[in-house]
Amino acid sequence: MTLQTDIDTAAAQLKGKTPQEVLTWALGNYKNISLASSFGAEDVTLIDMIAKIKPDAHVFTLDTGRLNSETYDVIAKVQQKYPQLQLRIMFPQAEAVEQMVSAKGINLFYDSVENRKQCCFIRKVEPLGRATKGLDAWITGLRRDQTANRSTMETVELDGDRNIAKINPLIDWTNEQVWDYIRANDVPYNALHDQNFPSIGCAPCTRAIQAGEDLRAGRWWWEMSNQECGLHVTSDGRLVRAKDV
């Protein structure tokens, strides 16, 4: 059987399963697997869940060099609460950042979509490639109701660019379910969430949202049209989902 066939079978079998059941399945089926965490609400929820299943599970995060201080604070709190967790912090290649900033300026991303995508690639996408190298699968905190782009995602998908499985245990959860879990389990979370930041990325590229705005409206708000940075799209710009591969 092909990897795609295996993933399609798993996706069908895992429909309706709880995130904990999905995580237990994933940890049992993939030897080299890691949770990707930006330390937003969904990701700290998954950290708490996975630590209760496998305390020394592997987690990686992308430190772009432009994160909010509140993000570093929650990373420290998570490390204190889950000391066995194997956290790997990935940084962008210094030379690539230096060349980009020298050529286009420190805040180049405001000048054009092309510049913003270049910055996202150097600071996030390329480090993600290094973080996932050698893995059989990676776990994300994606939810279907976050954006229209993510509405067709499945619990288990094929990451076609990396030819590994992509596990989305919270894909069926709502924002309310995530926060119910955080409060019930006393999970450390980013203080910016209390300041109307439902989605938190790099500091210059994230703002608080207003009442009635989409949960992702605070990301790259000056573009008004793009809600993805490239981590969850294929190399040709499409969203990563099994039916596209």
Side-chain angles (χ1 to χ4, degrees), residues 201-225:
C202 292
C205 301
T206 310
R207 65 161 173 81
I209 66 170
Q210 303 299 315
E213 282 192 304
D214 183 88
L215 293 178
R216 297 275 293 183
R219 303 294 292 274
W220 313 290
W221 70 92
W222 64 93
E223 292 182 10
M224 303 302 293
S225 61

Side-chain angles (χ1 to χ4, degrees):
M1 290 196 299
T2 66
L3 178 58
Q4 180 67 74
T5 301
D6 290 343
I7 287 173
D8 289 342
T9 300
Q13 292 174 342
L14 292 170
K15 276 189 180 296
K17 299 294 185 182
T18 67
Q20 292 91 334
E21 289 172 326
V22 174
L23 287 169
T24 299
W25 173 87
L27 292 169
N29 278 269
Y30 297 104
K31 180 180 179 180
N32 299 310
I33 184 170
S34 183
L35 167 65
S37 175
S38 66
F39 291 88
E42 290 80 11
D43 297 333
V44 294
T45 295
L46 287 173
I47 283 175
D48 187 80
M49 290 179 176
I50 204 168
K52 290 173 178 174
I53 299 168
K54 191 176 189 297
D56 61 348
H58 288 260
V59 177
F60 70 82
T61 191
L62 309 178
D63 185 345
T64 64
R66 300 299 299 268
L67 302 180
N68 294 280
S69 61
E70 291 87 350
T71 301
Y72 294 112
D73 290 343
V74 74
I75 291 174
K77 290 177 182 177
V78 165
Q79 288 180 302
Q80 290 171 0
K81 181 161 185 174
Y82 312 99
Q84 295 183 62
L85 208 65
Q86 302 297 303
L87 177 62
R88 183 184 184 193
I89 300 178
M90 304 297 300
F91 298 93
Q93 299 283 3
E95 184 176 356
V97 174
E98 290 171 2
Q99 290 177 351
M100 175 182 66
V101 171
S102 294
K104 297 187 175 182
I106 194 70
N107 286 337
L108 69 154
F109 34 79
Y110 294 135
D111 296 333
S112 69
V113 174
E114 179 185 14
N115 280 1
R116 198 271 298 164
K117 289 184 176 180
Q118 179 185 4
C119 191
C120 284
F121 180 85
I122 288 174
R123 293 183 184 273
K124 299 175 75 173
V125 179
E126 190 279 333
L128 174 68
R130 285 186 278 120
T132 55
K133 187 175 182 180
L135 294 182
D136 302 315
W138 61 302
I139 303 166
T140 84
L142 298 179
R143 294 187 293 104
R144 284 200 186 96
D145 67 356
Q146 287 172 323
T147 70
N149 289 337
R150 299 176 181 182
S151 63
T152 58
M153 288 184 136
E154 300 294 340
T155 306
V156 185
E157 302 189 308
L158 176 65
D159 181 337
D161 277 358
R162 300 167 186 86
N163 199 38
I164 61 176
K166 183 177 181 181
I167 318 296
N168 309 309
L170 298 179
I171 200 69
D172 293 320
W173 268 30
T174 64
N175 186 55
E176 290 72 21
Q177 285 176 294
V178 170
W179 281 101
D180 285 346
Y181 184 94
I182 288 173
R183 295 184 183 102
N185 293 275
D186 194 26
V187 180
Y189 66 86
N190 195 315
L192 288 175
H193 288 310
D194 293 331
Q195 301 175 38
N196 295 324
F197 283 75
S199 179
I200 303 168
C202 292
C205 301
T206 310
R207 65 161 173 81
I209 66 170
Q210 303 299 315
E213 282 192 304
D214 183 88
L215 293 178
R216 297 275 293 183
R219 303 294 292 274
W220 313 290
W221 70 92
W222 64 93
E223 292 182 10
M224 303 302 293
S225 61
N226 197 306
Q227 295 177 316
E228 300 288 349
C229 63
L231 296 183
H232 303 292
V233 295
T234 61
S235 55
D236 61 3
R238 293 173 299 147
L239 197 72
V240 176
R241 49 180 180 257
K243 69 179 184 180
D244 284 339
V245 178

